[in-house]
Amino acid sequence: MVVAGSCATAIGLGIGRFDFGAVGRFMIDDAWISTTGMGDFAGLNLGAYLLGSLHHSQIRNRKVVLRMMILALLLLPLSFWLEAFESSFLWQVVARICAGFAAGHLISGIPAIALAGLHSRHRRRGSGLVLAGGGIGALLGASAIGLFAHHSAMIAWVILALLSMALALPVLWLLSKSIQSQSAPEQSQSAESSTDLSAIKPGNR
């Protein structure tokens, strides 16, 4: 679970936010955006990231939290694919906002889920490993761009989209385990209540 949490942090913080600077240089060279537009996109991404984090902090229902995490996990690679094949300013703005919002939800929610059930003596080490995922994701994304992008913004976004989809697989496993662990106590409680009712005589109900 800690490894899956590290992968989620790598997607959200490393690939979703840090590697935009590396791709942005290719976008300027390919005349997708201007130098000032690069700063505007970075600001939009950061604002959406803060909005996603604040929105996540306001959710109280655990089922809703898990649903939002799955939605964010699907939305982040989708925004990369959108940025790869839609170079217009409007679509780039939409993609940057979606990526930042999804990254905010992932970074805010995954550590608590990944560290659930971990012994207190291992929690500090687990927290460090989960948060290290941001640096790992940035390193993987930047290395992949340097090796395979060949100074093309479209190829760079495709590489980041494929990398985020690969890292999303262990995170999906983590979220499915959390959903199963949440449904198991509810089933056991309903079974216990039905057993108690069957033990009561009809005249005493």
Side-chain angles (χ1 to χ4, degrees):
M1 288 189 176
V2 172
V3 174
S6 180
C7 290
T9 311
I11 300 172
L13 195 57
I15 299 177
R17 296 205 58 246
F18 290 160
D19 284 330
F20 175 64
V23 186
R25 180 171 57 86
F26 294 155
M27 296 172 70
I28 294 174
D29 293 340
D30 291 347
W32 285 18
I33 57 175
S34 62
T35 305
T36 56
M38 173 73 177
D40 295 336
F41 284 158
L44 286 172
N45 182 252
L46 179 58
Y49 174 80
L50 295 175
L51 182 62
S53 300
L54 292 174
H55 180 251
H56 187 89
S57 67
Q58 299 302 314
I59 302 175
R60 297 289 180 263
N61 192 319
R62 183 173 172 80
K63 287 184 178 180
V64 179
V65 168
L66 293 174
R67 289 172 186 169
M68 286 301 302
M69 299 298 295
I70 294 175
L71 177 62
L73 192 63
L74 297 175
L75 187 61
L76 199 57
L78 182 63
S79 68
F80 295 155
W81 286 112
L82 181 64
E83 291 191 87
F85 296 103
E86 292 291 343
S87 60
S88 65
F89 181 81
L90 177 61
W91 284 112
Q92 289 293 320
V93 168
V94 171
R96 281 289 85 205
I97 292 175
C98 290
F101 185 80
H105 268 282
L106 287 175
I107 300 305
S108 300
I110 284 295
I113 298 175
L115 299 176
L118 199 64
H119 195 275
S120 59
R121 80 176 106 181
H122 302 301
R123 192 173 294 273
R124 182 173 62 85
R125 181 183 299 175
S127 300
L129 291 175
V130 170
L131 294 178
I136 295 172
L139 177 62
L140 290 175
S143 300
I145 291 171
L147 289 173
F148 305 110
H150 303 298
H151 305 287
S152 172
M154 185 185 74
I155 296 177
W157 280 119
V158 169
I159 290 171
L160 291 184
L162 293 174
L163 185 59
S164 65
M165 291 175 65
L167 291 174
L169 296 177
V171 187
L172 282 175
W173 173 84
L174 173 63
L175 295 176
S176 65
K177 286 291 184 181
S178 301
I179 294 173
Q180 291 174 5
S181 64
Q182 184 183 9
S183 60
E186 295 177 355
Q187 293 176 356
S188 62
Q189 289 177 2
S190 61
E192 290 176 359
S193 62
S194 63
T195 304
D196 294 340
L197 287 175
S198 62
I200 299 174
K201 295 181 181 180
N204 296 331
R205 286 183 184 177

